[in-house]
Amino acid sequence: MSKKAWENWSASLLLVLSIFWFGDLSAQRVVNSSPEEIRASFSAQKVNCLFFFVEDCPVSMRDFSVVRELRNKYDTTQLSIIAVYVGDKRGELNAIADSIGTELVYTHDLAHELVEMAGASITPEYFVFDNVGELKYRGAIDNYAYGYAKHRKRVSKHYLEDAINAVLKGKRVATKSSRPYGCYIEEL
């Protein structure tokens, strides 16, 4: 069996096992999943977005209103958004999810496994993958922030939404990365 065939087979097996053990991730609010389980769930939607955040970063919290609009704009079979909490408040993710009020899938990345998998360093930071797990975009949600503590009055570039639309249409993502501004993810 070729390496590529093995990777496809093992990813398919992992998807089946993860759905069997954890259920459909999009049907749950807070999940405790490994990077492999989250990657395996990618084949269920055309576009998959990881959103790294902490509740005490103002830029992270500002982005939730935009994320809510995106979540409501697309069918759940088209787009999966997983909010990855990288804070250190063990056991409080349900309360954080309830206070934010956005219907997303949340996961707590205590060991920073998803941080390492994606290469995240800032909150908020977004990673868009297609249904085979290929990274299509990483960076900011838009051009609201243009420096630390520097913000535009009006957003003119919608990086995340543009990337989602391009992947849904099977087109090349014009802006593959942008610089995120916010709060550094603290090392463990």
Side-chain angles (χ1 to χ4, degrees):
M1 185 179 292
S2 72
K3 182 180 179 185
K4 185 70 174 170
W6 171 253
E7 289 172 355
N8 289 340
W9 181 85
S10 62
S12 297
L13 179 61
L14 191 55
L15 173 64
V16 170
L17 291 174
S18 67
I19 290 173
F20 176 76
W21 287 107
F22 297 99
D24 180 4
L25 293 183
S26 65
Q28 300 179 42
R29 179 109 185 235
V30 175
V31 297
N32 293 310
S33 299
S34 71
E36 293 80 18
E37 292 158 349
I38 288 177
R39 274 188 102 83
S41 74
F42 284 178
S43 65
Q45 286 82 19
K46 285 185 160 187
V47 182
N48 301 276
C49 177
L50 298 181
F51 161 33
F52 291 84
F53 81 100
V54 290
E55 83 289 349
D56 56 357
C57 180
V59 183
S60 284
M61 300 318 288
R62 171 259 175 199
D63 279 8
F64 270 103
S65 64
V66 180
V67 171
R68 183 181 300 115
E69 290 172 16
L70 288 173
R71 174 65 275 141
N72 292 333
K73 185 174 183 177
Y74 299 95
D75 187 283
T76 57
T77 61
Q78 295 179 311
L79 174 65
S80 168
I81 300 176
I82 300 174
V84 181
Y85 176 64
V86 295
D88 59 1
K89 294 187 177 171
R90 292 180 182 267
E92 293 189 23
L93 186 53
N94 280 318
I96 292 167
D98 288 342
S99 71
I100 292 169
T102 303
E103 292 302 321
L104 298 173
V105 175
Y106 293 83
T107 193
H108 197 168
D109 192 18
L110 279 175
H112 285 191
E113 292 176 286
L114 290 168
V115 167
E116 288 178 23
M117 178 195 86
S121 60
I122 301 283
T123 68
E125 190 168 7
Y126 298 83
F127 294 81
V128 174
F129 299 88
D130 64 12
N131 64 338
V132 295
E134 184 178 332
L135 180 64
K136 297 294 185 176
Y137 172 78
R138 73 174 289 171
I141 197 167
D142 54 34
N143 70 341
Y144 170 73
Y146 63 93
Y148 292 99
K150 295 180 181 179
H151 309 287
R152 290 180 172 78
K153 291 181 181 178
R154 189 177 330 181
V155 171
S156 61
K157 295 182 181 179
H158 304 273
Y159 306 122
L160 182 62
E161 186 172 7
D162 292 347
I164 290 167
N165 286 329
V167 174
L168 282 174
K169 293 176 183 174
K171 296 185 176 182
R172 186 180 71 75
V173 176
T175 302
K176 293 185 182 283
S177 67
S178 65
R179 184 171 180 184
Y181 292 96
C183 305
Y184 285 104
I185 296 174
E186 294 181 26
E187 291 186 28
L188 296 179

